[in-house]
Each structure stands twice: as C-alpha cells, then as structure tokens.
C-alpha cells in the first residue's frame, strides 16, 4: 500500500508548474497564561491577487508542518494548533490547473486520498485544533478547517463556499462527510448543492457563523488577535463551545430527497456531481467519517476522469482568463477617455443602461427621448433603483445623492450630447429608426465621440453607412437583465476604427462586463445560436410534436430553463423579430414559425399560464397552434436540435464571427446562462459525437474540455 508521501510525490510529477503553498509553523504564548501554541500559516508567497491553493506539493508541505506539530503535541510542548492564511486569503481549494493534466484514474484517486490523509491528521492530533478563517475560503480551504475541532471566522470574509458541484466535482476532502455531521444535512446541502447550482453563490463571514460552521466571529481589523484570545479561553475552560445536536432521523432523509429534487430542477440528471454529493451525504447519516472519506475518494476520482469536470474547468478558465483578455481587442493604449455618456431612449433597456454607466463610470449621464414624460420616467427609474441600493446598504446616502446629481434628462440632443464622449442608443429595433437617430446624434456630438448601438440583430455597418464618420460606430450589445448578465458583445462594423473599438473595450472593462469581439454578422453570437436552437424546437412543434415532448427533449442539456420559458423571458415579439431578421439573411436555415406568429399576433406573453403556481400550457395558445401530423420522439427532437446548433456554430466559425469556438462558449455561458458543466456548448457537442457527425470534425482539440488522451 502506498504511503501518503508516495501518493503525493507521484501526483506532484503531474503538476510541474504548481504554485506551491508553504505551511509556516510559528510558536506563540497564548494570552492569560493558556500555554504555548503552534500556528500554521498557509502562504504561497504572493499577495492576495494570487490566492493560495492546494496541489500535491502544497499538501506535502502541510504534511511536513503536521509532522512537526504532531511531535510537539505528543511531547506536551504545545497546548494546541491553529491554522490560518495570508492577508485576505485563507485558501481557495485544489489547484485546478493540475487536475486538467490527470489522465489515469489511479492518479485521480491519489489526489483524493492525499488530501484526506493530510487533512484528517488535524483531527488526530493529541491537542485541540483551531481554524481561523481570516479571508476567502473555498473548496479544500473550507475543508481543511472542517477537520479542526474549532473554527472562527472574520466578519470581513467576502467569499466562502464549497463550489465543487458547480465545476462538476464533489467536496472530496471531507466536505460531504464532515459538514452535514457538523451543521445537519439540510444546511450542508444548501452550502454544497444549492449554492453551487445557483451560479456558485458565496457566503459572507456572518452567514458562515450563522450556519454554525464557525463557532465564533470577530471583526477583520484584529481578527487573529481576537481569535487567539478566544482560543485561550476555550483551552482554559472559560468558554464552552456548544453546538446543537444534529437530527439524524427523518429530517436527514427529507433533506437529501429535497436536494435531489433541487438537482433535478437545475441539471435534470445531465451532470452527475450533485447526485454523487447527495449520495455521500445520505450515507454520512450514521456519522462514520472514514466510510464517508472513502466514498469521497471514489467520487472524486470518477468525476476527475469525467467529461463534465473537464468542461467545468474549461468554462471556469474561459470566464476567469479569456473573459478578462478578449481575443482580437485592439491595444488598450488607443482608448480615449470617457467623461460623459449620452443615452438615446428612456425606456426600460435605456434606463438600465443609464444606471449601469452611472454606477460604474461615475460620470454625468444624460438621457433623451421623444417627449418629456418618457424622459422623466427614465430618470425616475434610475433614481428609484438608486434608492433600492441605498435601502439594501449597497451604497450610502452621500453616494446616492452624488449619483442622482449626475443623471439628467433632456429633449434636445444638442443640449445633452454636445460634450459627450460616448453615446449609446437603445431605441426601436428598426434599421431606419436607428439610422435617423445616429444622423441626429452625429450632427451634435464632438468629433471624437463614440456612437454605440445596443442592437440585438441589425447590421452595425448598415446603421453607420449614411454617416460622415462611420469609423466611430460600434455595436455594444447588452443582455437583459443588464445588471445581472455579464456578457457584452462588442461588434466591429466594416469601417469601425481601432481607437473606437479600443474605447469600447475600455468602457466594457469599467462596466465590469465580459466583452467578446464579434464580427458584424446577423444576430452576432448568442441570438444567432439561440434562434437556431429555438427555431428547431418551434419547427418540430409546428410539424406536430407535442409541446411537452419538444420541451422535455432538451432537458439532458441541463439548461437553466426550458426553451419556451426562455422565449417568455425574452418576449415572443422580440424572438419573432430576431427570427425574421435571420430568415432574411439565411432563409434556408432559419424559419419563421407560424405558431409563434399567431402567439405574437394574439398579444400573448408566452406559451404558459401559472394559475396553479407551476407552468401549464395556456389553452388559448394551444388553440392558436396549427400543428401537422409528424410526431417525433424526445430523442429525435434532441438529435435535430443539436445537429442544427452544431451546423450553425460550424458556419459561424467559418465566417469568422468570432476568433475561436471558445468565444462561442464564453458568450453562451455569460450571456445566456448556459451551464458550466457543459462548458458552454461545443464541448458537449464534441462529447456527444454531434460535431463530427455534422461537420466532420470536433470543435476543440482532444484534451481541451475533455480528458487528455
């Protein structure tokens, strides 16, 4: 049987580029004469911008620190051991860069066992152990603390989570076994499964304490000092930590059952991680921790060797790395400063844009529209949203007053835009209207001002074609709701110059958006892929397949909502408009659904009614549909939809709509909520063999978003 050291040495050879986390041991005398104490500090030698992680060599370093304190504890030289992190960071879990390199199940098992073997030594020491969560803690960072007898947390902790299920793993170094035995199954499932499946929701320090994960909470300024005073009081018996008894009866089983329903509603059985985590939590009910650790080892190894994790890491890297360095963006030194923003339109979308520019750029923002009532309504919306932020404590009264003072509305574009550096239009989606608006704006703005359009599908080049300076027109396509969805498709028209484009990217960065450079092609990226996807669903419904079958057919993709619920969110009229635009551009592939036309003509907001609290097909909509007699199975529907999407993406890449398949995935993840466990869409199409069937080749090289060969 291999020792932990041998396991970790073998695993470390797979990760030659690991940023190694050292485990520094220092000794101090606790307050009030409580005794000599060993404090382990996890630190990779970088500041907080490079968080501390655990790769095999890092685990080995922690093992060496534990060798030392183990001897000291056995000899009676110390009364306790604490573990904490460098400033602002406790530890953020496993080194995922290394996980990508693993090709063999045995190596994956070594990583799982190595983590367990090191961490559980904390619970086996001859003296009490303490974890001091001083900063961000995720994954293995949370788990190393769970192996300690006591935990404190800083109120300043901004992010605390077990995000493994989000990426396609399970908390495999003790999380699934220890957390439910500490705080009960229901709360543990909330942290491990529910938060992960809700876009990797993070806990703050106060929530960590309220859940019972930490025994005490202290302010950030003197957190470690206060934690050590508290530690001394615990060791002297002046404080007794009491934790509520965990309900190991029916409540445990009910929590697991509820967790399975939640997983079904989020991923529809399409990704295994949540279910594996729930299986381990279910088995942890009897408190046998070693049995739980063994189950975690098996699950971790299986999932590391599965496609969903590789797709999850690929998606994570797209958002964290590619999303921050957009492919094809011009040199940022070409960007011009933006000191005032104009917004043409004062409807809901325009008002959301005004609020975003105001909050992120903190420069004057002026709205215009065709009458004073609309202008007042737009400014009023921004004021009301600022009041909501004030009420939630997101901004203070001074900030609210200052931001309100920066937003104004006027009818006269010359008055409003004569000194604007960046003007964005969000008016009716009709090319003639947009051209007229830009002609009016160009006549009054300074020569350097950027003219941006929030069009979702129209040609940016055509919009600029009648202007004296088409080179300063750029597509700036946001997704609704603007405050929540990160994607910003930046569209280069035929004559857009580098300075205008660079300015657009600089503004996007200040807006904290994920910007992707897109060619001026019909509907750009997200709307083109989604319209082809939705169009095929509507086609099979029009041909005769029942709505329920068509909807259920794509459940295995684990999308955040069904196609027709998404259509309801977008708005059937907008969906119809985009499909008509694409039908004009590509009539052989994009259809205009008679069923959707009928729904829009009848003024219906969607296919469903919610009278019973859950979606049911609207009988009035059913009466509008004129279906044929061709009925497909779920599998046939799914095949048709995926083939259509694979064909469309292949054509988009051939046209150069974006630089690479990675940009399509980044757009779908950040603009349409496409699941991380799919890696967007192209890894899924590769994994299912659809890419090769339709296009004759994979979208991504083997080993990218998949297990290396």
């Amino acid at each position: 049987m291999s020792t932990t050291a041998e396991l970790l040495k073998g695993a470390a050879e797979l990760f030659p580029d690991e940023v190694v986390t050292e485990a520094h041991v220092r000794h101090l005398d606790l307050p009030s004469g409580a005794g000599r104490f060993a404090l382990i500090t996890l630190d990779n030698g970088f500041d907080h911008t490079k968080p501390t992680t655990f790769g095999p060599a890092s685990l080995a370093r922690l093992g060496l620190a534990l060798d030392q304190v183990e001897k000291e504890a056995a000899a009676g030289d110390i009364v306790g051991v604490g573990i904490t992190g460098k400033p602002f960071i406790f530890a953020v879990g496993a080194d995922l860069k290394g996980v990508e390199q693993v090709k063999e199940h045995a190596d994956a098992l070594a990583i799982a066992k190595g983590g367990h073997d090191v961490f559980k030594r904390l619970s086996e020491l001859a003296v009490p152990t303490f974890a001091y969560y001083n900063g961000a803690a995720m994954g293995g960072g949370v788990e190393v603390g769970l192996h300690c007898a006591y935990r404190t947390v800083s109120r300043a902790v901004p992010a605390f989570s077990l995000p493994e299920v989000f990426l396609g793993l399970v908390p495999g170094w003790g999380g699934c076994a220890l957390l439910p035995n500490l705080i009960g199954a229901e709360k543990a499932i909330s942290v491990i499964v529910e938060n992960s499946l809700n876009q990797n929701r993070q806990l703050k320090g106060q929530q960590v304490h309220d859940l019972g994960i930490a025994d005490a909470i202290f302010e950030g300024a003197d957190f470690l000092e206060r934690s050590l005073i508290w530690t001394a009081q615990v060791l002297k018996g002046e404080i007794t930590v009491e934790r509520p008894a965990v309900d190991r009866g029916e409540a445990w089983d009910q929590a697991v059952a509820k967790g399975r329903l939640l997983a079904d509603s989020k991923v529809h059985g399409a990704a295994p991680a949540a279910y594996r985590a729930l299986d381990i939590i279910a088995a942890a009910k009897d408190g046998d921790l070693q049995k739980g650790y063994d189950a975690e080892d098996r699950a971790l190894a299986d999932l590391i060797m599965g496609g969903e994790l590789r797709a999850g890491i690929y998606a994570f890297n797209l958002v964290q790395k590619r999303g921050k360095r957009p492919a094809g963006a011009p040199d940022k030194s070409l960007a011009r400063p933006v000191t005032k923003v104009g917004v043409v339109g004062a409807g809901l979308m325009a008002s959301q844009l005004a609020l975003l520019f105001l909050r992120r750029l903190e420069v004057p923002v002026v709205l215009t529209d065709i009458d004073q009532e609309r202008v007042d309504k737009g400014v009023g919306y921004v004021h009301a949203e600022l009041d909501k932020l004030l009420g939630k404590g997101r901004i203070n009264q001074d900030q609210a007053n200052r931001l309100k003072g920066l937003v104004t509305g006027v009818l006269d574009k010359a008055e409003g835009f004569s000194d604007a550096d960046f003007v964005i239009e969000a008016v009716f989606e009709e090319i003639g209207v947009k051209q007229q608006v830009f002609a009016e704006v160009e006549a009054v703005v300074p020569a350097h001002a950027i003219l941006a359009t929030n069009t979702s599908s129209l040609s940016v080049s055509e919009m600029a074609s009648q202007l004296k300076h088409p080179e300063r027109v750029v597509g700036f396509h946001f997704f609704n709701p603007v405050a929540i969805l990160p994607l910003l498709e930046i569209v280069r028209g035929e004559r857009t110059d580098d300075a205008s484009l660079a300015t657009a990217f600089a503004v996007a960065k200040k807006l904290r958006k994920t910007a992707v450079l897109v060619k001026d092609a019909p509907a750009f990226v997200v709307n083109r892929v989604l319209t082809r996807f939705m169009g095929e669903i509507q086609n099979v419904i029009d041909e005769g397949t029942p709505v329920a079958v068509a909807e259920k057919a794509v459940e295995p993709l684990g999308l955040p909502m069904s196609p027709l619920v998404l259509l309801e969110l977008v708005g059937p009229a907008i969906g119809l408009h985009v499909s008509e635009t694409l039908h004009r551009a590509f009539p052989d592939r994009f259809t205009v659904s008679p069923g959707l036309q009928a729904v829009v003509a009848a003024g219906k907001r969607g296919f469903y009614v919610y009278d019973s609290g859950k979606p049911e097909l609207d009988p009035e909509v059913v009466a509008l549909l004129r279906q044929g007699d061709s009925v497909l199975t779920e599998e046939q529907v799914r095949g048709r939809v995926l083939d259509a999407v694979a064909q469309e993406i292949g054509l988009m890449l051939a046209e150069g709509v974006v630089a690479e398949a990675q940009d399509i995935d980044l757009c779908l993840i950040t603009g349409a909520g496409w699941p991380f466990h799919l890696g967007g869409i192209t890894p899924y199409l590769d994994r299912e063999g659809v890419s090769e069937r339709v296009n004759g080749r994979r979208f991504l090289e083997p080993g990218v978003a998949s297990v290396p060969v």
Side-chain angles (χ1 to χ4, degrees):
M1 182 102 177
S2 298
T3 65
T4 302
E6 288 168 339
L7 283 174
L8 292 175
K9 186 171 182 292
E13 288 167 7
L14 296 170
F15 302 177
D17 301 324
E18 178 185 348
V19 176
V20 178
T21 295
E22 300 293 345
H24 303 289
V25 182
R26 62 187 170 116
H27 296 89
L28 45 95
D29 292 319
L30 287 171
S32 309
R36 191 163 180 260
F37 189 75
L39 181 66
I40 300 169
T41 303
L42 304 169
D43 191 344
N44 61 4
F46 293 88
D47 69 11
H48 66 280
T49 58
K50 200 171 189 89
T52 306
T53 55
F54 292 115
S58 304
L59 288 171
R61 296 292 204 285
L62 179 56
L64 291 173
L66 291 170
D67 288 344
Q68 179 185 337
V69 297
E70 209 167 56
K71 288 176 189 153
E72 292 170 351
D77 295 338
I78 53 174
V79 294
V81 174
I83 186 164
T84 193
K86 66 183 183 181
F88 309 110
I89 302 288
F90 182 78
V92 298
D95 182 347
L96 292 176
K97 291 194 299 297
V99 172
E100 289 178 273
Q101 309 305 317
V102 177
K103 298 179 186 177
E104 303 292 338
H105 194 276
D107 292 330
L109 196 60
I111 293 168
K113 290 179 101 52
H116 271 130
D117 289 351
V118 172
F119 285 4
K120 71 182 181 186
R121 289 175 65 191
L122 280 161
S123 61
E124 294 166 351
L125 291 174
V127 293
T129 50
F130 298 78
Y132 307 131
Y133 292 122
N134 64 302
M138 297 171 202
V142 170
E143 289 171 300
V144 71
L146 293 177
H147 284 270
C148 295
Y150 303 98
R151 285 157 295 282
T152 66
V153 68
S154 165
R155 203 181 301 277
V157 166
F160 183 104
S161 64
L162 289 169
E164 287 84 352
V165 166
F166 176 66
L167 293 169
L169 279 175
V170 297
W173 286 342
C176 289
L178 288 167
L179 193 60
N181 279 294
L182 175 67
I183 62 173
E186 185 176 8
K187 289 179 184 174
I189 288 167
S190 169
V191 175
I192 293 168
V193 178
E194 186 176 4
N195 286 357
S196 277
L197 295 180
N198 279 310
Q199 295 299 312
N200 193 21
R201 187 193 291 152
Q202 301 292 314
L203 299 170
K204 300 274 196 288
Q206 186 65 53
Q207 293 167 296
V208 175
H209 180 250
D210 293 347
L211 282 165
I213 299 171
D215 302 304
I217 182 166
F218 303 113
E219 297 300 331
D222 56 353
F223 170 71
L224 188 56
E225 184 185 344
R226 295 280 302 279
S227 291
L228 291 170
I229 293 168
W230 181 85
T231 297
Q233 291 171 313
V234 169
L235 290 173
K236 290 176 76 177
E238 294 168 7
I239 288 178
T240 303
V241 173
E242 293 182 2
R243 299 181 183 127
V246 170
D247 188 334
R248 299 183 187 280
E250 203 176 316
W252 193 292
D253 300 331
Q254 286 173 346
V256 172
K258 193 173 152 196
R260 292 192 199 284
L261 289 173
L262 174 78
D264 286 342
S265 74
K266 291 288 186 179
V267 299
H268 309 284
Y275 301 97
R276 291 295 292 265
L278 289 163
D279 288 345
I280 300 167
I281 293 168
K285 183 179 173 181
D286 62 2
D288 184 338
L289 293 178
Q290 188 53 53
K291 189 173 78 175
Y293 299 159
D294 292 343
E296 286 177 348
D297 285 343
R298 290 190 297 273
L300 207 57
D302 291 347
L303 292 166
I304 285 173
M305 298 311 294
E308 284 81 7
L309 170 68
R310 305 309 170 114
I313 295 174
Y314 164 82
F316 183 79
N317 288 336
L318 286 182
V319 172
Q320 295 299 320
K321 294 176 184 170
R322 194 178 184 94
K324 291 178 170 59
R325 289 188 286 279
D331 190 318
K332 59 187 178 188
S333 67
L334 297 171
R336 295 192 282 260
V338 172
T339 60
K340 183 177 181 182
V341 173
V343 181
V344 185
L348 181 59
M349 190 68 179
S351 302
Q352 288 184 70
L353 295 180
L355 178 68
L356 180 69
F357 278 93
L358 187 67
R359 286 196 67 206
R360 298 284 181 247
L361 270 59
E362 296 190 356
V363 299
V365 175
V366 59
L367 296 107
T368 69
D369 212 314
I370 55 173
D371 59 53
Q372 193 64 44
E373 186 183 344
R374 292 180 201 222
V375 170
D376 292 344
K377 190 176 178 185
V379 174
Y381 170 89
V382 175
H383 282 202
E385 291 300 309
L386 291 171
D387 286 337
K388 286 182 193 172
L389 292 168
L390 177 64
K392 291 175 183 171
R394 303 268 293 280
I395 56 175
N396 61 36
Q397 189 66 60
D398 285 345
Q399 288 171 307
N401 293 343
R402 188 162 49 80
L403 292 173
K404 284 181 182 180
L406 286 171
V407 63
T408 54
V410 296
L411 286 175
D412 182 2
K413 292 185 181 68
E415 179 191 341
F417 299 160
S418 62
D419 56 348
D421 307 301
F422 191 100
V423 177
I424 184 165
E425 69 74 25
V427 299
F428 185 66
E429 195 77 344
E430 206 279 312
I431 194 74
V433 176
K434 306 253 190 202
Q435 286 175 331
Q436 182 188 342
V437 162
F438 271 158
E440 291 169 3
V441 172
E442 187 182 45
V444 299
V445 295
H448 66 271
I450 306 299
L451 305 185
T453 169
N454 184 47
T455 183
S456 59
S457 59
L458 299 175
S459 167
V460 174
S461 303
E462 190 179 350
M463 222 174 283
S465 62
Q466 297 172 16
L467 299 178
K468 293 189 184 79
H469 296 286
E471 68 277 3
R472 57 175 169 172
V473 177
V474 63
F476 216 61
H477 179 218
F478 290 87
F479 290 79
N480 211 353
V482 169
I484 295 171
L485 288 175
L487 180 64
L488 183 52
E489 290 178 337
I490 295 186
V491 187
R492 181 172 208 153
E494 287 169 11
R495 295 172 68 181
T496 307
D497 64 20
D498 282 354
S500 300
L501 204 58
T503 306
F505 275 100
V507 169
K509 188 172 184 182
K510 285 185 177 173
L511 294 176
R512 300 182 200 167
K513 292 296 180 187
T514 300
V516 175
L517 180 61
V518 179
K519 183 182 171 184
D520 187 18
F524 317 127
V525 175
V526 172
N527 283 343
R528 183 160 163 188
V529 174
L530 286 185
T531 303
R532 189 78 200 273
F533 174 82
M534 302 281 287
E536 212 52 52
I537 296 276
Q538 286 159 353
N539 286 344
V540 299
I541 292 171
D542 288 338
E543 290 164 17
T545 298
V547 171
V549 174
E551 290 263 77
K552 203 162 187 299
V554 291
E555 276 189 1
L557 276 74
L559 299 174
M561 61 188 75
S562 75
L564 294 183
V565 173
L566 174 63
L567 181 67
E568 198 168 302
L569 187 71
V570 170
I574 293 172
L576 178 62
H577 171 76
V578 176
S579 68
E580 288 169 342
T581 302
L582 282 161
H583 176 65
R584 284 193 294 274
F586 310 114
D588 56 325
R589 301 195 310 278
F590 287 87
T591 55
V592 178
S593 162
L596 182 57
Q597 285 176 317
V599 168
V600 173
K604 287 287 180 183
R605 294 181 60 184
F607 278 66
Y608 294 107
V609 287
Y610 298 85
D611 299 338
S612 64
K614 59 182 183 181
E616 291 176 4
L617 267 179
D618 183 342
E620 292 178 17
V621 169
V622 174
L624 293 171
L625 300 179
R626 297 284 175 266
Q627 291 184 284
D629 54 10
S630 173
V631 179
L632 302 184
T633 65
E634 287 175 26
E635 198 171 320
Q636 289 169 321
V637 171
R638 187 162 57 251
R640 259 184 66 172
V641 170
L642 293 177
D643 284 3
V645 170
Q647 181 195 31
E648 202 58 40
I649 292 172
L651 291 165
M652 290 165 72
L653 292 171
E655 290 169 30
V657 174
V658 288
E660 293 181 288
Q662 282 88 335
D663 292 313
I664 303 255
D665 293 320
L666 181 58
C667 284
L668 286 172
I669 292 162
T670 57
W674 219 267
F676 256 62
H677 67 258
L678 293 187
I681 182 64
T682 67
Y684 179 81
L685 294 171
D686 285 350
R687 204 161 65 235
E688 296 295 310
V690 181
S691 315
E692 290 185 73
R693 184 172 75 238
V694 174
N695 299 322
R697 60 188 179 84
R698 295 167 60 94
F699 287 114
L700 303 168
E701 293 296 317
V704 178
S706 58
V707 179
V709 177

